[in-house]
Amino acid sequence: MPSADRERTGPAWGTFLELESGAEGPLHARLARALRTAVTGGRLAAGSTLPASRVLAADLRCSRWVVTEAYAQLVAEGYFEARSASATRVRARPGGSVRGGAREEDGNRWTPRYDLLPGR
């Protein structure tokens, strides 16, 4: 049986994601924002595997719900891809990049078919 130390990703994720406690918004939104920034800033490369939600939650000393909500938001925005019985990964974007929630390919900005923002 592996030791508890090997199951953890290490304290680096806590500093890597820069989850400042004085920032506005709930923790899951701050985590999603930090992960999004890591992807768009190139700190998380396309195809990178993310830690399991339980492991990252233990490292960040938060509930698993916080991590699963952040992951789900970024899957919905197209930054991550999640498959059943597989790790969550940063989505590979050949020929384009995700910036500001929109896909840019060959200089043309992709716009969603439906506006799903609340209140609209």
Side-chain angles (χ1 to χ4, degrees):
M1 181 168 145
S3 71
D5 292 333
R6 288 189 207 153
E7 292 177 5
R8 296 184 57 147
T9 59
W13 276 95
T15 56
F16 174 73
L17 294 175
E18 301 171 11
L19 296 173
E20 58 279 346
S21 61
E24 288 188 28
L27 185 56
H28 71 278
R30 288 186 287 156
L31 177 58
R33 187 171 41 246
L35 287 167
R36 188 181 305 108
T37 300
V39 171
T40 59
R43 290 186 293 162
L44 282 176
S48 297
T49 301
L50 296 160
S53 59
R54 284 183 176 87
V55 174
L56 185 56
D59 285 346
L60 298 177
R61 293 183 172 90
C62 65
S63 73
R64 181 175 172 245
W65 179 88
V66 169
V67 177
T68 57
E69 285 297 306
Y71 280 9
Q73 178 63 38
L74 294 171
V75 166
E77 292 177 13
Y79 289 96
F80 294 166
E81 57 186 19
R83 294 191 180 126
S84 183
S86 181
T88 303
R89 298 181 186 276
V90 177
R91 174 168 275 155
R93 295 169 303 276
S97 65
V98 176
R99 298 269 185 215
R103 177 174 283 246
E104 297 175 6
E105 294 183 22
D106 302 325
N108 297 326
R109 186 173 175 106
W110 177 84
T111 56
R113 183 178 297 176
Y114 302 104
D115 184 3
L116 300 177
L117 290 174
R120 295 197 179 199

